[in-house]
Amino acid sequence: MNESVVFSKNVIDVIQERRTVKKFKADPVPVETITRLLDAAVWAPNHKLREPWRFLLFTGDGRQKLADAVAVDLGEDNKFAPTMLHNPVSLIVVMKEDPRQAIWDEDFAAVSALIQNFMLAAWSEGIGTFWMTKPFFYSPVFREQLGIKPGEKIVGLVYAGYPEVVPKAQQRTSAAEKLTVFDR
């Protein structure tokens, strides 16, 4: 890990200091730690407490199951399987889909907020994350391998681990530049 990085517990600092980490140390992250971070993440706002999420966690030798599911879909020569085996933690976040568009939208927003909560909680404890989506999430072959049912959406795959490299901050556009204020 970059020794100059100081992990903070102040929420504004955590939001601004969090980085997408793509290179992790080989050190495992205990399942208990991931579970505790998910327990914090489930406090995401979700309308009527529908809690429309569930999780698939791949660690240790279990990472091979995820790599195999990708290989079954993409073939043995795909570039993703080695990544699945190298990252200490792979977490798939699944959403139960509601056929009513307004509820689907609320639930998708809630699950996205949950993922952000997880990433911020992880960062506050020195654990880096990388949230990704891939076309194979929609593959019936991939989904069947992992027990993803019809009526469920994979909202993201989050890699997690102790950072080997922490990227530098990238400038953000000030909110004031995109803000329209109506005060009358």
Side-chain angles (χ1 to χ4, degrees):
M1 177 169 55
N2 182 338
E3 296 303 321
S4 67
V5 174
V6 177
F7 292 97
S8 172
K9 301 254 183 200
N10 178 297
V11 72
I12 291 174
D13 291 340
V14 172
I15 290 168
Q16 293 176 338
E17 293 168 2
R18 189 204 60 77
R19 300 288 174 267
T20 295
V21 174
K22 295 183 179 178
K23 192 164 186 174
F24 301 100
K25 294 179 180 179
D27 303 346
V29 179
V31 171
E32 297 78 18
T33 299
I34 299 299
T35 303
R36 186 170 43 74
L37 296 171
L38 286 169
D39 279 339
V42 300
W43 285 88
N46 65 101
H47 193 66
K48 296 192 178 185
L49 288 174
R50 281 193 295 271
E51 299 183 333
W53 44 68
R54 72 182 184 95
F55 315 103
L56 304 175
L57 180 62
F58 304 88
T59 66
D61 293 340
R63 297 174 295 179
Q64 186 66 53
K65 182 167 184 67
L66 180 57
D68 290 347
V70 173
V72 166
D73 185 55
L74 298 179
E76 293 295 334
D77 295 327
N78 75 76
K79 65 181 181 178
F80 296 107
T83 303
M84 310 286 176
L85 297 173
H86 176 72
N87 294 325
V89 170
S90 293
L91 175 70
I92 292 179
V93 182
V94 179
M95 174 184 100
K96 181 181 178 190
E97 294 186 289
D98 193 290
R100 297 166 290 183
Q101 188 66 52
I103 292 175
W104 191 100
D105 290 347
E106 290 171 353
D107 288 350
F108 185 78
V111 175
S112 296
L114 172 135
I115 293 172
Q116 176 74 349
N117 281 358
F118 174 79
M119 294 169 66
L120 293 172
W123 189 258
S124 76
E125 296 197 5
I127 298 169
T129 56
F130 176 24
W131 178 2
M132 66 181 328
T133 59
K134 289 292 177 195
F136 59 78
F137 290 178
Y138 299 93
S139 163
V141 174
F142 174 79
R143 295 168 61 86
E144 181 180 330
Q145 294 292 310
L146 298 178
I148 310 289
K149 300 169 184 63
E152 291 185 315
K153 174 179 181 50
I154 300 172
V155 177
L157 167 61
V158 180
Y159 295 136
Y162 299 103
E164 188 169 303
V165 176
V166 176
K168 292 183 180 186
Q170 295 183 21
Q171 190 62 36
R172 300 296 201 269
T173 302
S174 167
E177 292 183 39
K178 298 186 178 218
L179 178 65
T180 303
V181 176
F182 299 92
D183 61 358
R184 297 181 184 225

